[in-house]
Amino acid sequence: MKEFNILSNVIFDTSLKEYFSQSSYQKAMIVADPMMVKLGFVETISQQFHQAGKRFSLFAEITPDPTIETISQGVWQMNQFQPDCLIAIGGGSAIDTAKGMVLANYKLSPTYQKPTLIAIPSTSGTGSEVTSFTVITNGQDKKPYVDQCLVPDVAILDVELVKTVPPKITADTGMDVLTHALEAYVSTNASVFTDALAEKAVQLVFENLLLVFRQPEDLIARQKMHEASALAGMAFTNSSLGINHSLAHAIGGIHHLSHGRINAILLPKVITYNAQSANGAKYQQLAKHLGLPAETAAEGTANLVLAIELLNEALEIESSFSCFGISEATYQNAASQIAEFALKDDCTKTNPRSVTAASLAAIYQSLY
Ligand SMILES: NC(=O)c1ccc[n+]([C@@H]2O[C@H](COP(=O)([O-])OP(=O)(O)OC[C@H]3O[C@@H](n4cnc5c(N)ncnc54)[C@H](O)[C@@H]3O)[C@@H](O)[C@H]2O)c1
Ligand SMILES: [Zn+2]
C-alpha cells in the first residue's frame, strides 16, 4: 500500500511573536540553537509566556549533529518540567535534538503523551520541521530514526530567522535541500505527489540558492529557499531518500564535516551511479524541467550532473574530500566502515539502484 501524508500544520507569513501571542500553551520547553538565544528569538518567544504569567524552560546545549548524550540531558530536563509544548528553534540539529527527546520518551514508555511539537527552522536545509526523521549520532555511528511520532505538529516558516545565516552555511544547507529533492524524486517509493514537491523544490534551489549565497540580504530569495526546504522535506518524509544520504550520514559520523557539504560533494557521483536504474530515466525529466538539453536519458543526466557541478563550484564547495585536512590514509582506511554503516542505513532501502558494500566503498573512495 502506498500513501502520502503531510501531517504538520505549516504556518508561514506570520512572525513568531504573532503566533505565540495568540497561542494557548501553558508551559513551554524551548530547545534552541545557542545562536537563536544570541539573536534574541528565544527572548521573543519567552516574553510571550512571561507576559501571560505562563512558564517556560530553556535547553540550549545544542551542538551540530545531536548526540545521544545531549538528547539524554534534554530528556531529563523535559521530564522534570513536563511541558505542554516543546518548541524547537534552530537548524536541523536543534530540531532533531527535540525530536530525539520525544523518541526517547516513546521508547521508554509506548503510552507516552508527547507535548505539542513546534519546529521553527533557522536554516533552509533539512526540512526537519515537516519530516518524520531525526538524525542522531552515537559515537561514530550517525543514523536516521524514522517514526510518525516525530513529525512536528506545527512548523513555523519565518524568514526573519534565516537572514543571518552566513554564506558558507547557506551553501551547505541549500545543497542539502537539493539532495533531498533529487533523492525523493528517484526513490523507489516516489509517487506523483512527491514528484510534484521535488520538482518545485529543485527549481526553487536552482533559481534562488546562488542569489542568496551572493546577496544574503535578498529576503525574497531567502523566502523561496525556506519554502523549498519544507517542500523537499514533505517529499522525502513520504518517499524517503537514498545512498547519497546513507553515505553522508556515515561520512559525517566519522569525519565530522557539514551534512549539506558532504551531500553536495557526493551528488554528481551518486546521480551517475543511480542513472543506471529504472528510475534513472527520471533525471532526464528533471533536466528538461530545468530547461537543460536532454534529448536522451544520457544527455539529460550528464547535463543535470554538470549543472550541479557548476552550482557547487559557484558556491565554493569542494569537489572532493581531500581538501578538509584528512590524510589520504585516514580517508581510505575508513572506507569499509563507512560502506558498512551506509549499507545498514534506512535510506539505502529506497535507493533506485541496488548497492553492495563494495559499490558504496567505491563511490566513497573515488572522492578523495
Ligand atoms: N531530520 C531531518 O529530516 C534531517 C534531514 C537532513 C539532515 N538532518 C540533520 O540535521 C543536521 C544539520 O542541520 P543544519 O544543516 O540545519 O545545520 P545545524 O543545525 O547543525 O547548524 C549549523 C550551524 O549554523 C548555525 N546557525 C543556525 N541557524 C543560524 C542562523 N539563523 N544564523 C546564523 N547561524 C545559524 C548553527 O549555530 C550551527 O553552527 C545534521 O545532523 C543532519 O544530519 C536532519
Ligand atoms: Zn539531508
Side-chain angles (χ1 to χ4, degrees), residues 33-36 39 41 62-66 90-96 99 121-137 142 145 160-166 169 172-173 176 180 233 236 241 245 248-249 258-260 263:
D33 187 300
M35 187 58 83
M36 294 296 104
L39 293 172
F41 291 111
I62 309 299
T63 47
D65 299 340
S93 296
I95 299 175
D96 282 5
K99 287 176 162 187
S122 70
T123 57
S124 304
T126 68
S128 186
E129 67 275 13
V130 292
T131 74
S132 54
F133 286 56
T134 181
V135 184
I136 298 172
T137 300
K142 178 180 176 185
Y145 293 81
E160 282 299 309
L161 271 79
V162 287
K163 269 163 80 173
T164 49
V165 179
I169 298 176
D172 293 357
T173 48
D176 194 22
H180 295 154
F236 87 78
L241 295 161
H245 266 77
H249 295 146
S258 136
H259 172 71
N263 272 330

Side-chain angles (χ1 to χ4, degrees), residues 87-123:
I87 303 168
I89 179 165
S93 296
I95 299 175
D96 282 5
T97 300
K99 287 176 162 187
M101 289 156 52
V102 168
L103 188 65
N105 269 342
Y106 269 112
K107 296 262 182 214
L108 292 171
S109 161
T111 55
Y112 172 65
Q113 294 286 317
K114 80 172 167 79
T116 302
L117 179 58
I118 303 174
I120 311 168
S122 70
T123 57

